[in-house]
Amino acid sequence: MGLLAVVLACAEAPRPVMKRWPQEEVPVGVRVVDAANQPVPGVSLVARRADRGSSVARGGTTDATGTARLQVMPGWYVLQAEAPGFVSVTRTDARVPFGEEVRWDVTLERAAPVAGRVVDLEGRPVVGAEIQLTPSTNEDASLRSESDAEGRFHVDRVPAGTMKLLAEKDGWSPTRLELQTPQPELTVVMGGLGSLRIQVRGPDGRPVSARATSVSPVEVKDRRSFERFPERTEEATVFHKLRAGRYLVSGDYVPAPGCTWTRTLDVQVLPEQQAEVTVSFEGLRDAGPWRGRAVDPNGKVFDHGAVNALVPDEESEGVGLSGKCKGVVGPDGSFAIPHVLSGPVFMTWQEKEYSVVWVARGPLPAGTGEAVVFLNPFGGLKGRVVRPDGQPVGAFQVDGHSENHPLGEYTRHTSGTRDYQWVIDTLGFAPALVRAQGREGEVLQVPDVVLDVGRTVQGRLVAKNGRTGVPDQEVQLVEAFDLEVHWPRHPQTTRTDAEGRFRFEHVPGRLLYLRVDAKEHGTVLQALKPEESEVRLRLVPNAELHGSVTDGARVPFARVSLEVRCEGDFKVSAGTDWAGLYSVNIPGDRECQVHPAGSHLSVGEMYLPPPASFSPTRVRLEPGSRQRLDPTPRQGAASLEVGVKASREFVTAFVLPGDVPWPRTLEALDALIRAGFKPEDDDDGFTPSFMLGAFFHFGHLPLGHYTVFIREQIDGADSVLRVPVNLTKSGAHVIRSERPARADGRPYTR
């Protein structure tokens, strides 16, 4: 019996059967035909899960009847079909719902292969030239080849129609062609690099020193291999090794020290040839001297320094004539610009080199000695930090930035006329809140900050029952204006002990908030009144939000992220699994907005726009409850493209349906930010060529009224622009805007 027991114990236990996929697969029938509806056998098929980062794929090959059968999980797929002699097809709308067989029909177009030879100007073969063919109707669908030892190339799977051809090779000029396919064998002629000789002639027609000349390729791609070290002589400048193409050529003429005139021309460089261009100032007469008197906004004259007058290009695309000229300011503020081209449109004053630049913008006076008002674009608020006994503090922080001054002095830089506020942090004292109005171009004095040791606040964090202490939890002490948005000021924090008790020292005597996000235990946000020193924080249990994300027709969306934004700056996130299911705990008894975001479609190395656009949903759940929410994409034929001339680091945009009025309070602005549609291009890094700076895309919008808010975070405040939009037709609606701080945006001081 003992031996039998040993034998049985050593026997291998049966292994559990593991399913390959997390859900039942669905049969998909694929039928491939040509343009004449005839079956195409031997077509290679790959169905890849559309969600970026997914490696789930199934493949197959069509039989003699042009059909194939795949077994895939329900979801969204990208289907790729390839066959010799046909144009490859990529379908991004291949969807598989739960529990039913699906059929996909694919039509392949006969290819018009392009073959040819790449030769130089003498007819000799060019080896290793890269050939790129791109359909005029689809800039993303490029086909590539490379010329062999005889200069020959062949490109398969080319669609019939208009194509753009680009031939490139290092050390050669590119060749660009437009052609119709199909066509007989093609000969592509490539030339070597060219050169450019530039001469500058002054108003008297004589050559001047060519030291100050420059060129810039018009084609952005040509800037990669641009030769930046020309051969210079006293009479001309020669740029060697230039790829053939258009260049902007600039030359300078200096009529006197401190004055420079610049003329820019558009020049074409041909392969293996030297282009010659003369930048001429012949017959040009100046309009000087242009006279004025430099004063500040209060009429006080500047009795020293220098004034620069600038006349920008009047023609488009940087081509034309411009100039700048300097004049010295006398004791009475008077100055003269000796060689100005015409009436300046922009002037600056500087006390000395590298000092602050004061600016005078148009309309400017006639230039016969009138006063010219210069503004300091950067004002300031100067203050001092002292102890209760009046002695200065040498080390402190202003909004998280360290300051060290033996007299306790500091300056808060300002960028416009509005209210400012900041917090002074000093070791051993309560944080001091300072509010003052700044004015553009002025440095103003603010009252001294007299520090106070503050109060001690003790408290206890307890569970839902009101009695059990919750240990080892972070408790934040938050300023009222920092509840939703975090600036460089970080909230003061402490942790609860074994009994859930906590303590804060040096607490200021103003309204603050205590915030706890205890994850699995719940959350609490409670006001701390100016007179309170003892508090009890009771956690509000979380609620569970769960459901599935589909396209509305039983096709699950995997890899959809769900960000939940709740009042009080509580945020949680989750994502759907391969079956489109999700579950997330969110703060109970708190207004929240659920923001789903679909992942980008993945086709090889190319990412296409997101497969769907979602609108946020407002929820408020009872503590401890469980509620289902099944988001589906919004359906609409319009889109919004918002471009802002600013860095995306500081500028954001969001959209709300309807004609939404200006928020009256900072809290109302925060509520709009939580509820606004998020842009859908947060991580694709794509910016259209006509958009400079920050770019935001909002897709699949139904026709109707919307309000776009553009928000800039600068100097401890929000500057906001409001743009009403009426979408009356399908397609993209483009909005271009200056950054809010430069476009009369409304300030919201935090």
Side-chain angles (χ1 to χ4, degrees), residues 208-284:
V208 299
S209 173
R211 296 290 176 186
T213 55
S214 62
V215 303
S216 175
V218 173
E219 287 285 340
V220 175
K221 293 181 180 179
D222 291 337
R223 297 173 190 171
R224 301 176 299 190
S225 55
F226 173 53
E227 173 62 62
R228 299 184 181 276
F229 302 101
E231 173 190 342
R232 297 187 186 273
T233 67
E234 289 300 319
E235 290 195 352
T237 298
V238 180
F239 286 85
H240 298 283
K241 298 181 180 180
L242 297 182
R243 288 157 58 103
R246 288 175 52 215
Y247 291 83
L248 294 181
V249 177
S250 296
D252 292 344
Y253 170 68
V254 181
C259 294
T260 302
W261 300 350
T262 302
R263 171 158 274 158
T264 303
L265 306 174
D266 191 323
V267 179
Q268 184 77 32
V269 174
L270 299 177
E272 301 183 17
Q273 296 186 29
Q274 183 176 87
E276 298 202 10
V277 62
T278 298
V279 180
S280 177
F281 296 89
E282 290 184 73
L284 191 64

Side-chain angles (χ1 to χ4, degrees), residues 334 445 562 578:
S334 62
Q445 191 74 33
L562 292 98
W578 294 115

Side-chain angles (χ1 to χ4, degrees), residues 52 79 106 150 159 186 314 412 502 571 578 648 673 685 740:
R52 187 166 71 184
L79 177 66
V106 180
E150 297 180 352
L186 184 68
E314 294 182 357
R412 176 76 156 78
F502 62 89
K571 295 178 182 178
W578 294 115
R648 187 156 181 167
I673 294 172

Side-chain angles (χ1 to χ4, degrees), residues 438-456:
R439 289 201 289 270
E440 184 178 11
E442 296 186 49
V443 178
L444 305 176
Q445 191 74 33
V446 299
D448 288 351
V449 174
V450 181
L451 297 173
D452 178 72
V453 294
R455 54 184 162 143
T456 298

